[in-house]
Amino acid sequence: MKNINTEIIKVNSKNPENKIIRKAAYLIRKGDIVAFPTETVYGLGANAFDARAVKKIFHAKGRPSDNPLIVHISDMRMANDLVEEIPKRAIPLMEKFWPGPLTLVMKKKKNVPDAVTAGGNTVGIRMPNHKIALALIAQSRTPLAAPSANTSTRPSATEAKHVREDMEGKIPLILDGGRTQIGVESTVLDLSGHIPALLRKGKITKKDIEKIIGPVADRTQKTRGRVKSPGQKYMHYAPKAELVLVRGGVRSMRNAVREFRKKDPYVVTFSERKNMYPFAKKVFVLGKGKDEISAAKKFFSVVRRCDASGADVILVEAPSRRGVGDALYDRISRGAKRIV
Ligand code: TXA
Ligand code: MG
């Protein structure tokens, strides 16, 4: 495919400029891809009912075609166009968490293209809590199929410049709405079977969901060789450098830094004292006191920065597993070559 010109336009995320949104929606209507911010990470969107446009996404990302896409909606009518029937349990979850970082997997209607669902009979839907995303979907007058806007297996994009790093020359437009709020992708919950099942961890936790609908099965780890969420079987969120997840706080980190000192390790940590890691090439602080909210927000951008400055090894201190910290821990461990 020949390189195309990629335009980046700054958009006001509190009050998106109509003219820019109209331009982006025009591209969507004519079957192109547009990158846009959501509250979790940037997405790479195409008209969900246009199989040709959706295939362009897989091409741009280098994504295996057996991994289905999440469809983003801006109002409930769009959900009815996508699913046979909204399951009873979905309603209180939608009321509580939409718009927001929760994707619900339900039985799809026939008209949803196989390209979106990877040939499966379910579709994952979410209503993002972001004004630019909502305006773009509404103005496009169609739901948007949108994966995270990174090259397949790379860390997700939480800033427009990350999207450019991966998508320059491959897509016509990136809407730049600044840094994303949450920084890890949405929670994915499967409501298509008898028992609700968690397929991917996110800011909304299993407990948060259980408070509303009762018991939920955890299928986020590979079980008996079968993966429920196809996306979970691939290497994910991986920097170019060797990423090592370091549990056990400062003392283990000091040991790890010493062990890797010949490789000029980069350290990603929660401890702020100066000169704590004399053998480290560079130290990035994710937040104070294992603050998981700030860490989740910064993590992907920090590992991309380590990569950009040529790191061979990145040692990452494990965050607290409270709230979104558990999802962050999950992402770090999936991107890691080793856990010590
Ligand atoms: O926060 C997010 O969810 C971001 C933003 C852009 O909305 N999107 C995102 O999409 O993370 P992606 O494609 O990178 O990850 C989607 C995940 C994959 O693990 C995929 O396998 C799973 O959701 N998924 C999507 N549709 C599914 C379905 N019908 N059944 C099971 N898993 C599904
Ligand atoms: Mg992704």
Side-chain angles (χ1 to χ4, degrees):
M1 202 168 77
K2 78 173 192 325
N3 266 19
I4 56 172
N5 183 42
T6 303
E7 194 178 359
I8 304 185
I9 307 181
K10 281 219 160 66
V11 190
N12 184 332
S13 59
K14 297 209 175 78
N15 189 12
E17 295 84 349
N18 224 310
K19 211 177 138 198
I20 305 170
I21 299 299
R22 271 209 311 274
K23 176 182 170 129
Y26 169 77
L27 289 172
I28 297 284
R29 301 263 352 146
K30 78 178 184 65
D32 267 322
I33 313 176
V34 173
F36 61 95
T38 79
E39 78 279 37
T40 56
V41 299
Y42 275 76
L44 213 51
N47 178 354
F49 290 115
D50 180 347
R52 265 191 57 207
V54 170
K55 282 181 188 151
K56 288 185 188 170
I57 295 178
F58 284 88
H59 189 83
K61 273 184 71 85
R63 178 172 173 123
S65 59
D66 65 349
N67 192 4
L69 305 181
I70 294 170
V71 178
H72 297 66
I73 61 172
S74 58
D75 63 61
M76 283 308 297
R77 238 185 8 208
M78 288 185 176
N80 292 318
D81 296 339
L82 293 161
V83 299
E84 275 305 328
E85 191 186 11
I86 309 258
K88 264 209 191 89
R89 280 189 283 242
I91 292 163
L93 292 172
M94 292 168 170
E95 278 171 1
K96 172 89 181 164
F97 297 114
W98 280 6
L102 177 66
T103 296
L104 299 174
V105 173
M106 299 176 275
K107 293 223 168 74
K108 74 158 200 174
K109 266 197 174 136
K110 280 207 191 70
N111 56 335
V112 180
D114 280 341
V116 173
T117 62
N121 59 1
T122 61
V123 61
I125 304 179
R126 85 177 190 100
M127 191 187 289
N129 187 16
H130 196 291
K131 286 204 170 140
I132 296 175
L134 291 171
L136 175 63
I137 302 162
Q139 190 70 250
S140 302
R141 288 177 278 118
T142 181
L144 297 187
S148 51
N150 52 283
T151 300
S152 202
T153 78
R154 295 266 303 140
S156 293
T158 56
E159 295 175 40
K161 68 174 184 201
H162 304 157
V163 182
R164 182 168 59 186
E165 276 169 20
D166 289 12
M167 294 298 151
E168 178 113 67
K170 296 183 174 167
I171 62 171
L173 179 62
I174 301 169
L175 298 179
D176 179 356
R179 270 169 210 225
T180 59
Q181 266 297 313
I182 296 173
V184 296
E185 309 80 353
S186 63
T187 306
V188 180
L189 182 72
D190 185 358
L191 292 178
S192 68
H194 285 300
I195 303 160
L198 189 70
L199 304 184
R200 181 174 70 183
K201 291 176 176 181
K203 175 159 190 279
I204 295 169
T205 64
K206 183 165 173 282
K207 272 206 183 118
D208 294 337
I209 296 166
E210 287 179 329
K211 270 187 212 145
I212 314 279
I213 59 165
V216 168
D218 186 340
R219 306 244 171 84
T220 59
Q221 309 303 322
K222 290 183 188 182
T223 46
R224 279 167 268 122
R226 245 195 96 201
V227 234
K228 306 289 172 177
S229 187
Q232 304 296 68
K233 76 181 172 206
Y234 299 105
M235 183 69 184
H236 253 97
Y237 322 110
K240 291 170 192 144
E242 177 181 356
L243 192 146
V244 180
L245 173 59
V246 181
R247 296 174 300 181
V250 172
R251 181 187 288 201
S252 326
M253 184 57 95
R254 285 175 75 103
N255 289 337
V257 175
R258 209 170 301 125
E259 182 191 332
F260 283 94
R261 68 179 180 276
K262 288 208 178 105
K263 290 188 169 175
D264 288 336
Y266 283 51
V267 170
V268 179
T269 176
F270 293 90
S271 315
E272 294 206 282
R273 267 185 296 131
K274 274 234 154 80
N275 301 326
M276 191 130 100
Y277 304 110
F279 295 120
K281 170 111 181 190
K282 226 174 190 168
V283 178
F284 290 94
V285 178
L286 284 178
K288 284 186 197 163
K290 304 211 176 208
D291 173 5
E292 72 283 356
I293 295 170
S294 142
K297 200 171 162 148
K298 290 186 192 160
F299 176 70
F300 286 132
S301 109
V302 165
V303 291
R304 275 180 181 263
R305 265 162 72 193
C306 294
D307 262 355
S309 43
D312 287 325
V313 173
I314 311 172
L315 306 173
V316 182
E317 185 177 344
S320 147
R321 295 181 74 166
R322 270 176 314 208
V324 72
D326 195 38
L328 176 60
Y329 187 96
D330 168 85
R331 303 303 191 270
I332 302 171
S333 53
R334 284 174 202 278
K337 296 230 168 68
R338 263 177 69 190
I339 300 178
V340 298

